[in-house]
């Protein structure tokens, strides 16, 4: 019979995946902080999802020796949760293994990296509507040709205490509030009308 063999094979596959992380076993702590990354929001600034823009810039920190970036192929810039917005939220947890890390869940932009271009790269991003209300910073990863992280940089310090900004998801909440108040107003107008009609009928009799 084929079934037991199949079950055994899939079990082995699952086990091997557990034993050797299937992808992304790069540790953040093993990467050099080679990129200088900036983002336009000031410390503590409040931005609105779906409306406000963030300008990010990145370039190689020039104090590193030439050739440091020779393997860099792509830069991906991401929006990352600050520690205060990770408390009691396992789904946002920071893990040193980048394959399991949940700190940086929102892609801002991905761009090819040109080793010969030392110009500071810039991107203007309208904060997407589905970005949840939280405190954030920005991090950029450099990837090699195998799509493995080989360097990074971030707008905050190592302890993630400076240059943090807030994004407020006003659209979702306000829309619900607006719909609620419209419903309530409509309801009160209708019931008021109903009351007058009923009252008129009663007095006519
Ligand atoms: C560049 O790297 C050096 C050495 O790690 C660091 O001291 C310096 O602050 C970095 N420069 C910037 C602009 O981040
Ligand atoms: C270098 O990068 C800048 C900024 O992205 C870009 O405008 C410029 O065209 C690039 N230069 C070259 C030679 O690719």
């Amino acid at each position: 019979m084929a079934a037991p063999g199949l079950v055994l094979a899939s079990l082995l596959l699952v086990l091997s995946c557990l034993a050797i992380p299937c992808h992304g076993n790069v540790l953040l702590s093993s990467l050099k902080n080679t990129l200088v990354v900036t983002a336009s929001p000031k410390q503590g600034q409040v931005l609105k999802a779906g409306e406000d823009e963030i300008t990010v810039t990145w370039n190689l920190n020039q104090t590193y020796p030439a050739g440091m970036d020779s393997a860099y192929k792509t830069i991906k810039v991401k929006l990352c949760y600050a520690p205060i917005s990770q408390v009691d939220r396992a789904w946002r947890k920071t893990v040193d293994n980048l394959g399991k890390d949940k700190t940086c869940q929102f892609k801002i932009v991905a761009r090819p990296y040109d080793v010969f271009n030392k110009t500071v790269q810039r991107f203007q991003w309208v904060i997407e509507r589905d970005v949840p209300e939280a405190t954030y910073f920005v991090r950029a990863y450099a990837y090699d040709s195998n799509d493995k992280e080989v360097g990074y940089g971030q707008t905050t310090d190592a302890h993630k205490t400076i240059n943090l900004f807030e994004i407020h998801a006003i659209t979702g909440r306000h829309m619900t509030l607006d719909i609620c108040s419209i419903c309530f107003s409509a309801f009160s107008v209708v019931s008021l009308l109903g009351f007058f009609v009923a009252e008129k009928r009663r007095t006519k009799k």
Side-chain angles (χ1 to χ4, degrees):
M1 262 187 52
L6 216 70
V7 169
L8 196 68
S10 26
L11 198 69
L12 279 176
L13 195 72
V14 168
L15 281 179
S16 65
C17 277
L18 288 177
I20 318 150
C22 278
H23 67 108
N25 48 0
V26 173
L27 304 181
L28 179 68
S29 56
S30 74
L31 297 179
K32 284 211 164 65
N33 185 343
T34 51
L35 299 172
V36 180
V37 182
T38 74
S40 51
K42 308 255 182 304
Q43 165 74 35
Q45 192 175 334
V46 176
L47 298 108
K48 295 179 199 127
E51 282 181 21
D52 290 334
E53 291 179 343
I54 295 178
T55 302
V56 291
T57 75
W58 64 94
N59 65 301
L60 185 76
N61 182 332
Q62 299 300 327
T63 64
Y64 282 97
M68 188 77 213
D69 55 351
S70 55
Y72 294 9
K73 284 288 176 288
T74 323
I75 301 290
K76 288 182 194 165
V77 185
K78 296 181 176 185
L79 187 67
C80 313
Y81 289 112
I84 192 170
S85 293
Q86 294 176 301
V87 176
D88 295 333
R89 291 176 178 89
W91 64 93
R92 298 181 180 174
K93 205 169 68 177
T94 292
V95 181
D96 197 27
N97 181 339
L98 291 177
K100 295 180 179 156
D101 182 44
K102 301 277 190 296
T103 315
C104 305
Q105 297 187 16
F106 305 94
K107 190 182 110 182
I108 295 178
V109 67
R111 282 279 170 82
Y113 184 82
D114 181 356
V115 175
F116 302 106
N117 193 341
K118 300 296 174 202
T119 316
V120 174
Q121 303 297 308
R122 190 177 300 270
F123 184 77
Q124 208 168 353
W125 185 61
V126 178
I127 303 165
E128 278 162 22
R129 274 166 190 279
D130 59 353
V131 171
E133 184 155 323
T135 302
Y136 294 94
F137 66 93
V138 173
R139 181 183 286 164
Y141 290 104
Y143 291 81
D144 65 8
S145 52
N146 296 318
D147 218 26
K148 266 181 82 169
E149 295 89 349
V150 282
Y152 81 104
Q154 61 189 24
T155 54
T156 189
D157 60 338
H159 299 290
K160 303 176 197 164
T161 56
I162 59 163
N163 294 338
L164 306 176
F165 53 90
E166 288 176 41
I167 292 178
H168 282 193
I170 57 133
T171 36
R173 202 180 51 187
H174 279 222
M175 201 106 96
T176 321
L177 276 183
D178 288 347
I179 290 168
C180 278
S181 52
I182 288 169
C183 284
F184 273 114
S185 323
F187 178 74
S188 47
V189 168
V190 167
S191 47
L192 210 62
L193 276 177
F195 173 77
F196 275 124
V197 169
E199 191 66 2
K200 257 204 170 141
R201 280 203 184 137
R202 199 173 61 83
T203 48
K204 261 188 186 164
K205 275 180 189 166

